[in-house]
Amino acid sequence: MSRSALPLNAIHAFLVTARHLNLTHAASELCITQGAVSRKIATLESWLGFSLFERHARGLHLTEQGANLLPELQQGYAMLVNATEKASRSNTSIRLKAPTCAMRWLVPRLVALEQQRPEIHVALTTTLDHASQLENYDAAIVFGTPPAGSIRLFDEQLTPVLGSHVSPPTHIRDLAKFTFLHPTNDSRDWQLWLNEQDVSLPMARNQHFATMDLAISAAIQGFGVTVADVTLVQNDLATGRLIAPFAEHVATGAAYSLLQRGKQDAPPFLPELVAWLCQPQNETHSSALAGLD
């Protein structure tokens, strides 16, 4: 075998086998057969010119030469993996996870960011799960109690909204004639807002939705009236798709927060995305980018 043809796959098989000292366990981790593991190790032994393992009744043992070689191969292979992962991250997009209920706030910001900075590509994944976990994403917007280490984006504050082509109620008690659209499978959001106004209303007609975004969409189409977060419907109110007939709003105690990967593992432009998303609501996108170029 040519000395220039370094058998990287065989080195990986050796490192895994040396960790387990068991061909069965090594084969399971590598997703190949025991025979294939043995052949890869034999390839490396042939390349090196000496044996790496001794077989005993109780399993495998490293030879003296194998044991001496192992630490340097582990270090070298780790450096190789880190270098390739770093190079790969430089050409990949930023993986962002967000709950569907945040889309009305998030999507316009991502569109504006793409227009201003086309070199920043965000791969967005939506989820119905509000769990405060980063998982395998570079950043994640989470809903609920802000987890440790997160950046608080905005607090949830609810107010009634309905389609702009619908005659709005004059008084809170006039809401009783509408169909109540609920962002959850119960009425807790509506009850929270009504209790804050010290008003009790009959809810004769009700529709329940899996997310607040769906309830807002139904309200825009004139299906009824929903309670919605004032930040999430900011664009809908500004463009006239929705109206908010009452100034009163109530804080639920929940918030939308941002988690991000640590600096050492962060892809390029993640700090710019975080800075963009954390801009106060009253600042323009152009001013947000002023310090990023």
Side-chain angles (χ1 to χ4, degrees), residues 97-148:
K97 180 183 71 169
T100 55
C101 56
M103 289 302 101
R104 308 190 86 84
W105 175 85
L106 177 61
V107 170
R109 285 176 170 250
L110 293 182
V111 170
L113 176 61
E114 186 175 85
Q115 292 171 347
Q116 295 284 342
R117 296 287 296 275
E119 73 275 22
I120 302 178
H121 180 248
V122 179
L124 176 63
T125 298
T126 60
T127 177
L128 294 176
D129 184 14
H130 292 166
S132 57
Q133 297 178 1
L134 192 60
E135 297 174 331
N136 62 331
Y137 295 92
D138 301 308
I141 295 175
V142 296
F143 174 75
T145 302

Side-chain angles (χ1 to χ4, degrees), residues 204-218:
R205 297 185 304 277
N206 300 273
Q207 294 289 342
H208 297 267
F209 297 87
T211 68
M212 181 173 289
D213 186 62
L214 291 174
I216 293 170
S217 296

Side-chain angles (χ1 to χ4, degrees), residues 31-152:
C31 297
I32 58 177
T33 65
Q34 292 185 47
V37 175
S38 295
R39 288 191 293 273
K40 288 181 182 295
I41 292 173
T43 297
L44 181 59
E45 289 176 330
S46 176
W47 195 91
L48 292 168
F50 55 82
S51 297
L52 296 169
F53 293 102
E54 296 176 348
R55 292 179 178 269
H56 296 275
R58 294 184 179 180
L60 298 175
H61 294 279
L62 285 165
T63 64
E64 181 179 355
Q65 288 173 300
N68 291 335
L69 179 63
L70 179 61
E72 292 190 30
L73 280 185
Q74 287 174 326
Q75 181 180 9
Y77 195 81
M79 292 176 63
L80 181 63
V81 170
N82 290 337
T84 53
E85 286 183 347
K86 183 178 180 180
S88 175
R89 284 197 300 269
S90 67
N91 290 318
T92 58
S93 55
I94 301 171
R95 300 164 297 176
L96 173 63
K97 180 183 71 169
T100 55
C101 56
M103 289 302 101
R104 308 190 86 84
W105 175 85
L106 177 61
V107 170
R109 285 176 170 250
L110 293 182
V111 170
L113 176 61
E114 186 175 85
Q115 292 171 347
Q116 295 284 342
R117 296 287 296 275
E119 73 275 22
I120 302 178
H121 180 248
V122 179
L124 176 63
T125 298
T126 60
T127 177
L128 294 176
D129 184 14
H130 292 166
S132 57
Q133 297 178 1
L134 192 60
E135 297 174 331
N136 62 331
Y137 295 92
D138 301 308
I141 295 175
V142 296
F143 174 75
T145 302
S150 66
I151 301 173
R152 199 184 198 103

